[in-house]
Amino acid sequence: MNFVSDNITGAAPRVLEAIGRLGAGADSAYGMDAESQAAARRIAELFEAPDASVMLVATGTAANALALAALTPPWGAVLCHEEAHVNDDECGAPEFFTHGAKLAGVPGPGGKMTPGGVRHALTRFPKAVKSVQPAVLSISQVTEAGTVYLLQEIAALSAVAREAGLKVHLDGARFANALVALGCTPAELSWKAGIDVVTLGLTKVGGLACEAVVAFDPALAETLPFRRKRSGHTLSKGRLLGVQANALLEGGYWLDLASHANAAARRLAGGLVAVPGIRLAWPADANEVFPILPARVDAALRGAGFAFLPWATGSLGQGETLGPDERLVRLVTSWATEMSDIERFLAVAAAA
Amino acid sequence: MNFVSDNITGAAPRVLEAIGRLGAGADSAYGMDAESQAAARRIAELFEAPDASVMLVATGTAANALALAALTPPWGAVLCHEEAHVNDDECGAPEFFTHGAKLAGVPGPGGKMTPGGVRHALTRFPKAVKSVQPAVLSISQVTEAGTVYLLQEIAALSAVAREAGLKVHLDGARFANALVALGCTPAELSWKAGIDVVTLGLTKVGGLACEAVVAFDPALAETLPFRRKRSGHTLSKGRLLGVQANALLEGGYWLDLASHANAAARRLAGGLVAVPGIRLAWPADANEVFPILPARVDAALRGAGFAFLPWATGSLGQGETLGPDERLVRLVTSWATEMSDIERFLAVAAAA
Amino acid sequence: MNFVSDNITGAAPRVLEAIGRLGAGADSAYGMDAESQAAARRIAELFEAPDASVMLVATGTAANALALAALTPPWGAVLCHEEAHVNDDECGAPEFFTHGAKLAGVPGPGGKMTPGGVRHALTRFPKAVKSVQPAVLSISQVTEAGTVYLLQEIAALSAVAREAGLKVHLDGARFANALVALGCTPAELSWKAGIDVVTLGLTKVGGLACEAVVAFDPALAETLPFRRKRSGHTLSKGRLLGVQANALLEGGYWLDLASHANAAARRLAGGLVAVPGIRLAWPADANEVFPILPARVDAALRGAGFAFLPWATGSLGQGETLGPDERLVRLVTSWATEMSDIERFLAVAAAA
Amino acid sequence: MNFVSDNITGAAPRVLEAIGRLGAGADSAYGMDAESQAAARRIAELFEAPDASVMLVATGTAANALALAALTPPWGAVLCHEEAHVNDDECGAPEFFTHGAKLAGVPGPGGKMTPGGVRHALTRFPKAVKSVQPAVLSISQVTEAGTVYLLQEIAALSAVAREAGLKVHLDGARFANALVALGCTPAELSWKAGIDVVTLGLTKVGGLACEAVVAFDPALAETLPFRRKRSGHTLSKGRLLGVQANALLEGGYWLDLASHANAAARRLAGGLVAVPGIRLAWPADANEVFPILPARVDAALRGAGFAFLPWATGSLGQGETLGPDERLVRLVTSWATEMSDIERFLAVAAAA
């Protein structure tokens, strides 16, 4: 009954079981433990990048901010979609970790930047000391609007960035959902598309608190151990992170969980558009659905006990507007979403 | 067989069980969940401070650095023992979170500052714009040397600080061990002794990753929610922290765990001083023992598979020195220490 | 012949004379000297604000960044016009001095924000920990587009800001030019219009390196002495700043200098619009003229030895565009502009 | 009559004359003007380092902090004498500019560090992520105690630093006084002795507000233009700095001024030690004298209108202490010191 976010459910069974096995035994502290080391190797292999540097932290905010701090000087600019999580939802964490770099929002419908949009944003920053210097392009995949960039779209953005001398970061808070949506490999969704550093999200997909920063050129990650320690993100009992990553990645468990979430969203989206008066703001590519609801449907659903968030209209396409009695809302599904809840949701919507 | 630290063992059984119950249910994100809220209330009650502000984070480095950042401006000075964890072992986290405040080390034997030492350190900072201004006294209880300040010692330090206009922070990474050692209440070991903000450690005592920042005057904590979020320490599934705290504090479980650790250290210390040629650098007040070992004993123990750290001699009392064939080492016990390992350790030491 | 900027000429005669009198005598260091103290009092009186806190620094970047740092926490947002100097031309100085606050650009034609634009920008920042919190509205007067806000326009912006709990900063790099343009008093152009802190520019008007930060509520300035020292802006021989301020302000000298600059711009603007094919992008309210020139006029002027900058078209009004053979340029006049140069400029333009 | 500091007098005649010539002409802004460029070339030549990067700023605090920020990451440590200006007298400017690096004080009598002292300080920082990493050794020449390191002393310190992978910074706030005292060349006192970056002080010697950061390997200075701009230290009318440097350096004027200051100090020191009951705490190597005065002499001098500062006793040699009726004070001479004032000072001291 809760479609607020995929970060509000507990953890998937195998994750809890793995944590439950962390008993009295001793192991090295500060991320040098066997589980964390194994997780790092596993992730590098998963990305077909044996030399990649992999670092685990407990939150996506930390992973994103650390990744950006490794890629930009304090006088750099980070280009990202104007509604990107790093720009709007992390209370300035990137600014804190980078010591004051500037986040420059690039507009674009459906949460997506375009090569033209990035090129235009770059013109704001002349090669002069008076201006901060563009250093990073940060791409959110899945986007804040729940859409998924095609691989060629990412490659096109990366190409623009690279040509201008920028590094490319992928905020993969919902990386698994994107993988499932695209049916591609982690390598294809990252370095093969021009990505330098990935924030690999493992919390929303089914972990409790686990994300990884993956740098394909380990030279880019040289400062990260110090930055992580200094920001308080080096867990003494680091195995807490390692076991989550291992439990999720082993046997493709994370992809199974993401598939369930995506399928639930697909069913939800399909059911909603079948209801007269309801349309989607954007395609529901992964595990988020952004329907535009008549106000009375919105009210009926809330009255029936469903929880979900109203959403800002900034990413609506040009010319697209809400009517006075329409509401844009966000519905998020997860590994824990019950299909029966979706059917009930659709029934209430249809009845209203 | 591992006496390296109390941060290298897994978690106590009830903690793991509690985490294991974190299934598929939804709850509010970002620390607004029921478990975290209950933990906050529980901790406030534990400290007999119903108005206290309580905030959970995953690491002691974060808890300390956030606490200090709440108490000092960037141009402030934090006085602490010169070997304090915040000064030497957190890669400059306090400087990062405070935006560049200065940590000023106060020397003192056995890891303890004295009122005279603090007064002397204060003279370094005139009331002039050219100087950073003393803002916080940070007291480590248990100290880095494993000693425990008496309540009156803490009160005397707090009084000096307060008189000079400083706030007082207690780094309680091993707060439970100190409580057990002193047989006092949390209130006595904190606000009743003049402490403004406590870093309450729950990881070493038996959690996996859980610490709390407790501010007795909630006005001192007003900036903390923003600082926590901005530093990436606001877990989306914050209940991971809440359940650890609740499991540990319920029924005094954490004190049972700490008692075991302290008793193990006491037995270790008592057994060691009975061996000719071995002496303690300082009293083993809590769960750490710092013996001065003949080199051959040190070697024999390591040969027998025991792991422990050599230690710096900076906190030795005046006039106290190591002989050329002596080694200062640190032995840490925990909730997980087996008494049989201690007996074996003592036997090897005695035989050497 | 140089219309590049008003920051590239030397200093007005009385300023140089005053500096020339700074001989061998001793005076207090670090801004406590008689000249700086007198300048502070003089500026407070000028603003009819005897309790105002006044602080001198050598650059506008420092003055702006210090002012903003006094008004926002690191997790605050500073709203300003998207082309404001603080946003685009100071290499992130506000971010550096504020420890990472976010500058949020508000669009608006002719370099001006509107109350509606500010209100819309505020909606980006919900009252939630995940978002930075709007803390300051920074108004540039004269704007980057050379336009001058009317007093009621400033009052309207201030009212929106105040209602939302923001402090209001005025970047007065060309404050004197605005005063002359509006024919109002410094008080009317500041606190009477709702401004909390003014950056009072004295360099462009005729000084060498002198700006003042004026806080009408001295409580807002409490941290500034430390921030100034810590950022290296507390001159040991602070009288260098004091004498400039005193020389400029005495007898209204600065207004005479600004009047000359404004009159030169007026003549330039008037002459240009009389040339067929030339129009102004915005009104030339102060000492800057932004004509849209046919490319051949632009070329002819440069060929004749005139120096001036091309300008970005972001502040053009909606619907206004440049033709393929048109150039938007910026012409800046100053106290040192020769009227004969202007006539020659106009003659070349007309001939082309 | 004023022996408080050499930063409280105005400027030397040729400096004022040069500033006085800065009339209405236009030149490039932001340090690209002809005077600043000429000064940079002149300074590079002076140091026999044609490839050196030279950057002018208005204050020593800025010059030092910028230099250190170029040499250390935020998680670095800067070793310096525990009483160094960068450590005690700049309100944490190095911490601000470096984004939180740690200044580690090295004790040593007479304001001087020793190779052994530096080696010992280095042991505090293990090569582990938990520790900040030593990055810079900052040597003050002249020291805070007015003593002057011999060239071989500097070379020995540099060698220790270099061996440990540190860069070496020289805080040359009184570089000219040291040059005169040692009779050596700027090159000998810098890169030939292992210095990487010099803060070249021109304010105390006779300028108004001018210092230079000189990096012998220009790669070390790559970030400095951004750091300078971002910290508000890029003067728009940068020629103000350039003319000061040129006026001082042309024809060795600065050395003449420094010679006068040093000679005045020498006479003062010689006269004082001839008075029974007065001794020097350390040799008066340059333009500062630190006598230990009987309290009645101290009072008599103040009564006669002489101004000077009491001084901290931290740099007294081991075993050296003040009697209860003794006062350690600092007397600073400058280019503007009148010899007749010195004779009068000595007469009052002798009479008391």
Side-chain angles (χ1 to χ4, degrees):
Chain A
M1 310 229 306
N2 197 314
F3 296 100
V4 167
S5 182
D6 40 2
N7 69 9
I8 59 163
T9 48
R14 289 196 213 162
V15 171
L16 295 182
E17 288 160 26
I19 295 177
R21 287 191 294 269
L22 289 176
D27 200 342
S28 295
Y30 301 125
M32 305 308 289
D33 61 276
E35 286 280 356
S36 296
Q37 301 287 307
R41 280 192 306 273
R42 191 191 291 267
I43 290 171
E45 280 161 27
L46 182 76
F47 278 92
E48 304 168 45
D51 296 333
S53 159
V54 178
M55 198 179 75
L56 302 177
V57 292
T59 71
T61 299
N64 280 334
L66 285 165
L68 295 177
L71 296 178
T72 179
W75 50 89
V78 176
L79 277 63
C80 58
H81 191 273
E82 61 184 3
E83 294 190 338
H85 203 263
V86 290
N87 197 23
D88 269 3
D89 299 305
E90 297 182 342
C91 195
E95 287 90 342
F96 177 47
F97 281 72
T98 63
H99 300 294
K102 191 183 279 284
L103 273 80
V106 178
K112 289 189 184 179
M113 300 181 284
T114 61
V118 172
R119 269 197 207 94
H120 180 74
L122 287 168
T123 64
R124 176 178 161 198
F125 305 103
K127 286 202 182 310
V129 163
K130 68 169 191 170
S131 175
V132 295
Q133 297 298 304
V136 189
L137 178 68
S138 177
I139 302 171
S140 302
Q141 173 80 316
V142 178
T143 74
E144 283 303 302
T147 54
V148 173
Y149 286 102
L150 300 178
L151 292 183
Q152 54 266 45
E153 288 177 318
I154 291 182
L157 291 171
S158 296
V160 172
R162 203 160 300 272
E163 198 181 311
L166 281 67
K167 298 294 180 191
V168 188
H169 166 247
L170 191 85
D171 176 0
R174 295 185 178 96
F175 193 84
N177 304 93
L179 279 186
V180 167
L182 293 171
C184 70
T185 67
E188 285 167 348
L189 186 44
S190 56
W191 60 269
K192 289 187 177 175
I195 304 297
D196 294 294
V197 176
V198 169
T199 293
L200 174 65
L202 295 173
T203 305
K204 286 173 168 144
V205 77
L208 266 179
C210 185
E211 311 274 316
V213 181
V214 185
F216 300 108
D217 175 357
L220 296 177
E222 268 172 13
T223 65
L224 283 178
F226 293 103
R227 293 185 192 275
R228 181 173 68 165
K229 178 67 185 168
R230 181 174 179 72
S231 60
H233 284 287
T234 305
L235 267 58
S236 58
K237 301 180 180 177
R239 74 193 86 170
L240 167 60
L241 304 176
V243 294
Q244 293 180 71
N246 289 322
L248 284 164
L249 299 177
E250 194 174 350
Y253 185 45
W254 69 321
L255 299 180
D256 297 342
L257 296 169
S259 293
H260 174 86
N262 283 16
R266 212 158 42 233
R267 168 65 189 129
L268 193 53
L272 283 170
V273 296
V275 178
I278 298 183
R279 66 192 193 281
L280 299 189
W282 317 284
D285 292 340
N287 67 320
E288 296 173 280
V289 186
F290 291 80
I292 297 171
L293 303 175
R296 73 173 187 290
V297 175
D298 178 72
L301 288 164
R302 293 180 189 282
F306 291 102
F308 48 88
L309 295 180
W311 207 248
T313 57
S315 255
L316 286 180
Q318 211 153 12
E320 172 91 67
T321 51
L322 291 195
D325 286 329
E326 289 188 320
R327 305 283 179 270
L328 174 58
V329 304
R330 186 182 76 159
L331 308 170
V332 190
T333 56
S334 78
W335 65 274
T337 302
E338 301 279 352
M339 282 303 187
S340 56
D341 283 341
I342 289 185
E343 297 308 328
R344 211 163 64 74
F345 187 97
L346 293 174
V348 174
Chain B
M1 312 230 304
N2 197 315
F3 296 101
V4 167
S5 182
D6 39 3
N7 70 8
I8 60 165
T9 49
R14 291 197 212 160
V15 171
L16 294 182
E17 288 160 26
I19 296 178
R21 287 191 294 270
L22 289 175
D27 199 343
S28 296
Y30 301 125
M32 306 308 290
D33 61 278
E35 287 279 355
S36 297
Q37 301 286 309
R41 278 192 307 274
R42 191 190 291 269
I43 290 171
E45 280 162 26
L46 182 76
F47 278 91
E48 303 168 45
D51 296 334
S53 160
V54 177
M55 198 178 76
L56 302 177
V57 291
T59 70
T61 298
N64 280 334
L66 285 165
L68 294 177
L71 297 178
T72 179
W75 49 90
V78 176
L79 276 63
C80 58
H81 190 273
E82 62 183 5
E83 294 192 337
H85 203 263
V86 290
N87 197 23
D88 268 3
D89 299 305
E90 298 182 341
C91 196
E95 287 90 341
F96 178 47
F97 281 72
T98 63
H99 299 294
K102 191 182 280 282
L103 274 80
V106 178
K112 289 189 183 178
M113 298 182 284
T114 61
V118 172
R119 271 198 206 95
H120 180 74
L122 287 168
T123 64
R124 176 179 161 197
F125 305 103
K127 288 205 181 304
V129 163
K130 69 169 191 169
S131 176
V132 295
Q133 297 297 304
V136 190
L137 177 68
S138 178
I139 302 172
S140 303
Q141 173 79 318
V142 178
T143 74
E144 284 301 303
T147 54
V148 173
Y149 285 100
L150 300 178
L151 292 183
Q152 55 266 46
E153 288 177 318
I154 290 182
L157 290 172
S158 295
V160 171
R162 203 159 300 271
E163 198 180 311
L166 280 68
K167 298 293 179 192
V168 188
H169 165 247
L170 191 85
D171 176 1
R174 295 185 178 97
F175 193 83
N177 303 94
L179 279 185
V180 167
L182 293 170
C184 69
T185 68
E188 286 167 347
L189 186 44
S190 56
W191 59 271
K192 290 188 177 175
I195 303 297
D196 293 295
V197 177
V198 169
T199 294
L200 174 65
L202 295 173
T203 305
K204 286 172 169 147
V205 76
L208 265 179
C210 184
E211 313 272 316
V213 180
V214 185
F216 299 108
D217 175 357
L220 296 177
E222 268 171 13
T223 65
L224 283 178
F226 293 103
R227 292 186 193 275
R228 181 173 67 166
K229 178 66 183 170
R230 182 173 178 73
S231 60
H233 285 287
T234 305
L235 266 57
S236 59
K237 302 180 180 178
R239 73 193 86 169
L240 168 60
L241 303 177
V243 295
Q244 293 181 72
N246 289 322
L248 285 165
L249 299 177
E250 194 174 350
Y253 186 46
W254 69 319
L255 298 181
D256 297 343
L257 296 169
S259 293
H260 174 86
N262 283 17
R266 212 157 42 235
R267 169 66 191 127
L268 192 54
L272 283 170
V273 295
V275 178
I278 298 183
R279 66 193 194 280
L280 298 189
W282 317 285
D285 291 341
N287 67 319
E288 296 173 279
V289 185
F290 290 80
I292 297 171
L293 304 175
R296 71 172 189 291
V297 175
D298 178 73
L301 287 163
R302 293 180 188 282
F306 291 102
F308 48 88
L309 295 179
W311 209 249
T313 58
S315 255
L316 286 180
Q318 212 154 12
E320 172 92 68
T321 51
L322 291 194
D325 286 330
E326 290 187 320
R327 302 283 180 272
L328 173 59
V329 306
R330 185 182 78 159
L331 307 170
V332 190
T333 57
S334 79
W335 65 275
T337 302
E338 301 279 352
M339 282 301 185
S340 56
D341 282 341
I342 289 185
E343 298 308 326
R344 211 163 64 76
F345 186 96
L346 293 173
V348 173
Chain C
M1 311 230 304
N2 196 315
F3 296 99
V4 168
S5 182
D6 39 3
N7 70 8
I8 60 164
T9 49
R14 291 197 214 161
V15 171
L16 294 181
E17 289 160 27
I19 296 177
R21 287 191 294 269
L22 289 176
D27 200 342
S28 295
Y30 301 124
M32 306 307 290
D33 61 277
E35 287 281 355
S36 296
Q37 302 286 308
R41 281 191 306 273
R42 191 191 290 269
I43 290 170
E45 281 162 25
L46 183 76
F47 278 91
E48 305 168 45
D51 295 334
S53 160
V54 178
M55 198 179 75
L56 302 177
V57 292
T59 71
T61 298
N64 280 335
L66 286 165
L68 294 177
L71 297 177
T72 179
W75 49 89
V78 176
L79 276 63
C80 58
H81 190 272
E82 62 183 4
E83 293 191 337
H85 203 263
V86 290
N87 197 23
D88 268 4
D89 299 305
E90 298 182 342
C91 196
E95 285 90 342
F96 178 48
F97 281 72
T98 64
H99 299 294
K102 190 182 280 283
L103 274 80
V106 179
K112 290 189 183 178
M113 298 182 285
T114 60
V118 172
R119 268 196 209 96
H120 180 74
L122 287 169
T123 63
R124 176 179 161 197
F125 305 103
K127 287 204 182 307
V129 163
K130 68 169 192 169
S131 176
V132 294
Q133 296 298 304
V136 190
L137 177 68
S138 179
I139 303 171
S140 302
Q141 174 79 316
V142 179
T143 73
E144 283 302 302
T147 54
V148 173
Y149 285 101
L150 300 178
L151 293 182
Q152 54 267 44
E153 289 177 317
I154 291 182
L157 290 172
S158 296
V160 172
R162 203 159 301 270
E163 197 181 311
L166 280 68
K167 298 294 180 190
V168 188
H169 167 247
L170 191 84
D171 175 1
R174 295 185 178 95
F175 192 84
N177 303 95
L179 278 186
V180 166
L182 293 171
C184 68
T185 67
E188 286 167 348
L189 187 42
S190 56
W191 59 270
K192 290 188 177 174
I195 304 296
D196 294 294
V197 176
V198 169
T199 293
L200 175 64
L202 295 173
T203 304
K204 286 173 170 146
V205 77
L208 267 179
C210 185
E211 313 273 316
V213 180
V214 185
F216 299 110
D217 174 358
L220 295 177
E222 267 171 13
T223 65
L224 283 178
F226 293 103
R227 292 185 193 274
R228 182 173 66 166
K229 178 66 185 171
R230 181 173 179 74
S231 61
H233 284 287
T234 304
L235 266 57
S236 58
K237 302 180 180 177
R239 73 192 87 169
L240 168 60
L241 304 176
V243 296
Q244 293 179 72
N246 289 322
L248 284 165
L249 298 177
E250 194 175 351
Y253 186 45
W254 69 321
L255 298 180
D256 297 343
L257 296 169
S259 294
H260 174 86
N262 283 17
R266 212 157 44 234
R267 170 64 190 128
L268 193 52
L272 283 170
V273 295
V275 178
I278 298 183
R279 67 192 194 280
L280 298 189
W282 317 286
D285 291 340
N287 68 319
E288 297 174 278
V289 185
F290 292 79
I292 296 171
L293 304 175
R296 70 170 191 290
V297 175
D298 178 73
L301 287 164
R302 294 180 187 281
F306 291 102
F308 49 88
L309 295 179
W311 208 249
T313 58
S315 256
L316 286 179
Q318 211 153 13
E320 172 92 68
T321 51
L322 291 195
D325 286 329
E326 290 187 320
R327 303 282 179 272
L328 172 60
V329 304
R330 185 182 78 159
L331 307 169
V332 190
T333 57
S334 79
W335 66 275
T337 302
E338 301 279 352
M339 283 302 186
S340 56
D341 281 341
I342 289 185
E343 298 308 327
R344 210 161 65 75
F345 187 96
L346 293 173
V348 173
Chain D
M1 311 230 304
N2 197 314
F3 296 100
V4 167
S5 182
D6 39 2
N7 70 8
I8 60 163
T9 49
R14 289 197 214 162
V15 171
L16 294 181
E17 288 160 26
I19 296 177
R21 286 191 295 269
L22 289 176
D27 200 342
S28 296
Y30 301 124
M32 305 307 290
D33 61 277
E35 287 281 355
S36 296
Q37 301 287 308
R41 280 192 306 274
R42 191 190 290 268
I43 290 170
E45 281 162 24
L46 183 76
F47 277 90
E48 303 169 44
D51 296 334
S53 160
V54 178
M55 198 180 75
L56 301 177
V57 292
T59 70
T61 298
N64 280 334
L66 285 164
L68 294 177
L71 298 178
T72 180
W75 49 88
V78 177
L79 277 63
C80 58
H81 190 272
E82 61 184 3
E83 294 191 336
H85 203 263
V86 290
N87 197 24
D88 269 3
D89 299 305
E90 298 182 340
C91 196
E95 285 91 342
F96 177 47
F97 282 71
T98 63
H99 299 295
K102 192 182 278 284
L103 275 79
V106 179
K112 289 189 183 177
M113 297 182 286
T114 61
V118 172
R119 270 198 207 94
H120 180 75
L122 287 169
T123 63
R124 176 178 161 197
F125 305 103
K127 287 204 182 308
V129 163
K130 68 170 191 169
S131 175
V132 295
Q133 296 298 304
V136 190
L137 177 69
S138 178
I139 302 172
S140 302
Q141 172 81 316
V142 178
T143 74
E144 283 302 302
T147 54
V148 173
Y149 286 100
L150 300 178
L151 293 183
Q152 54 266 45
E153 288 177 319
I154 291 182
L157 291 171
S158 297
V160 171
R162 204 159 299 273
E163 199 180 310
L166 281 67
K167 298 294 180 190
V168 188
H169 166 246
L170 191 84
D171 176 0
R174 296 185 177 96
F175 192 84
N177 303 95
L179 278 185
V180 167
L182 293 171
C184 70
T185 67
E188 286 167 348
L189 187 43
S190 55
W191 59 271
K192 290 187 176 174
I195 304 296
D196 294 294
V197 176
V198 169
T199 293
L200 175 65
L202 295 173
T203 305
K204 285 174 169 146
V205 76
L208 266 178
C210 184
E211 312 273 317
V213 180
V214 185
F216 299 108
D217 174 358
L220 295 177
E222 268 171 14
T223 65
L224 282 177
F226 293 103
R227 294 185 192 274
R228 181 172 69 165
K229 178 66 184 170
R230 181 172 178 73
S231 61
H233 284 288
T234 305
L235 267 58
S236 58
K237 301 180 181 177
R239 73 193 87 168
L240 169 60
L241 303 176
V243 295
Q244 293 180 72
N246 289 322
L248 284 165
L249 299 177
E250 193 174 351
Y253 185 46
W254 69 320
L255 298 181
D256 298 343
L257 296 169
S259 294
H260 174 86
N262 284 17
R266 212 157 43 233
R267 169 65 191 128
L268 193 54
L272 283 170
V273 296
V275 178
I278 299 182
R279 66 192 194 282
L280 299 189
W282 318 283
D285 291 341
N287 68 320
E288 296 173 280
V289 186
F290 290 80
I292 297 171
L293 303 175
R296 70 172 190 288
V297 175
D298 178 73
L301 287 164
R302 294 181 188 281
F306 291 103
F308 48 89
L309 295 179
W311 208 248
T313 57
S315 255
L316 286 179
Q318 212 152 13
E320 173 91 68
T321 52
L322 291 194
D325 287 329
E326 290 188 320
R327 303 283 180 272
L328 173 59
V329 304
R330 185 182 78 160
L331 307 169
V332 190
T333 57
S334 79
W335 65 275
T337 302
E338 301 279 350
M339 281 302 185
S340 56
D341 281 342
I342 290 185
E343 298 307 327
R344 211 162 65 75
F345 187 96
L346 292 174
V348 173

